[in-house]
Amino acid sequence: MTDAPIGIFDSGVGGLTVARAVKDALPNESILYIGDLEHSPYGPKKIADVRGYALDVLDDLVDQGVKMLVIACNTASAAMLRDARERYSVPVVEVIQPAVRRAVAATQNRRVGVIGTAGTINSRAYEDAFAAAPELQLFTAACPRFVEFVESGVTTGAEVLAVAEEYLAPLREADIDTLVLGCTHYPFLRGAISYVMGEKVTLVSSDTETANDVYRVLVSQQLERTASSPPSYHYEATGPSVSAFLDLAHRLIGRDIDAVDLVQTGTMHIIR
């Protein structure tokens, strides 16, 4: 079991930021990643639908023998984290709590912003997570087009900057000093977000913090990989095209990924 891979899931390519952080923090661990491009983006969809899609993918990861599940999607975490922890016997790590802990530690003026998909913001999952720090003031904003930009491979340019100015204006006016990027796609737009918010605002993304949580769980539950052979990195995607996922991954994170398999999970229809 300790030599089994870590299963990482996202609605698309955003979770590759988490996979990369896990790989950097735990270079001896194998990774199995699934991106649900068939149903991306999750943000505008009904919570019940997101729950069904996400559990289908997690079922597939468990069937493939992973030793841990990482839900690298804020919308999915908000929709079905409790279900996942009750459903599976392997540990489940998500992306909301790690980012919240870092934001609480980082803020100086106790005014924190969160941006995310409409599904994440409307779920009030971050309000619930920050409830343990009642002295903070929390300001949230949905940024639905950010995922569309990233999934199209567009991370810079005048349109991205204009949309960022529109979405982030209320948070600038709120005088926050810490901003949580509440979607794993958003680090790909860090340049535009940082430019709009200014140097005095600390950006908190969940990739590194989630990788730290993965490390802690592996150590505490004695699940660290012990094999001396090189780890494996395997990438899968639902949807009609391997090349679409691979091309986008190369544009966003470089050429670390050299192959992707199309998979069918649950009731998802895959065009082969």
Side-chain angles (χ1 to χ4, degrees):
M1 181 64 174
T2 58
D3 293 336
I6 297 168
I8 302 179
F9 150 69
D10 183 51
S11 61
V13 297
L16 292 174
T17 59
V18 176
R20 180 172 55 187
V22 170
K23 182 178 177 181
D24 290 344
L26 297 154
N28 195 45
E29 295 293 336
S30 296
I31 292 172
L32 173 56
Y33 180 96
I34 296 182
D36 184 17
L37 271 68
E38 177 81 355
H39 300 105
S40 182
Y42 278 5
K45 292 181 169 60
K46 296 177 180 178
I47 290 295
D49 291 338
V50 171
R51 178 183 179 277
Y53 300 147
L55 290 174
D56 277 346
V57 177
L58 296 182
D59 284 350
D60 186 75
L61 285 169
V62 171
D63 288 345
Q64 292 190 63
V66 300
K67 65 181 177 182
M68 171 189 286
L69 293 168
V70 180
I71 307 173
C73 174
N74 285 261
T75 306
S77 294
M80 41 64 74
L81 175 61
R82 182 174 300 177
D83 296 302
R85 286 181 169 158
E86 292 175 351
R87 188 181 183 101
Y88 307 113
S89 59
V90 298
V92 179
V93 174
E94 49 82 40
V95 290
I96 294 176
Q97 285 290 347
V100 167
R101 286 196 298 269
R102 172 50 50 196
V104 171
T107 183
Q108 297 295 311
N109 72 358
R110 320 312 283 171
R111 299 172 69 85
V112 175
V114 175
I115 54 175
T117 67
T120 297
I121 298 302
N122 292 339
S123 75
R124 299 186 64 83
Y126 274 94
E127 280 87 348
D128 292 342
F130 275 104
E135 74 281 5
L136 297 185
Q137 286 186 273
L138 189 64
F139 305 86
T140 63
C143 303
R145 292 196 63 195
F146 281 179
V147 171
E148 295 174 16
F149 283 134
V150 174
E151 293 285 343
S152 299
V154 178
T155 57
T156 60
E159 186 178 12
V160 171
L161 196 59
V163 171
E165 291 273 8
E166 177 186 347
Y167 285 156
L168 300 175
L171 300 179
R172 292 181 61 185
E173 294 171 5
D175 193 33
I176 63 170
D177 74 348
T178 303
L179 178 63
V180 176
L181 309 185
C183 175
T184 51
H185 287 70
Y186 292 1
F188 292 118
L189 301 175
R190 178 183 288 271
I193 295 170
S194 179
Y195 179 82
V196 172
M197 294 305 300
E199 296 179 356
K200 294 182 179 180
V201 176
T202 299
L203 302 186
V204 175
S205 59
S206 52
D207 48 3
T208 301
E209 304 306 322
T210 300
N212 291 338
D213 265 23
V214 170
Y215 181 90
R216 283 191 286 268
V217 171
L218 289 180
V219 172
S220 65
Q221 299 196 23
Q222 298 182 330
L223 290 173
E224 299 155 283
R225 184 172 181 269
T226 57
S228 58
S229 58
S232 64
Y233 305 110
H234 189 68
Y235 300 89
E236 299 176 348
T238 67
S241 173
V242 164
S243 61
F245 182 94
L246 199 56
D247 291 347
L248 186 53
H250 287 167
R251 290 177 67 180
L252 294 174
I253 68 169
R255 306 193 71 84
D256 289 350
I257 301 173
D258 56 15
V260 177
D261 293 331
L262 284 180
V263 296
Q264 183 171 357
T265 58
T267 59
M268 296 178 187
H269 175 63
I270 309 302
I271 301 173
R272 295 200 182 270

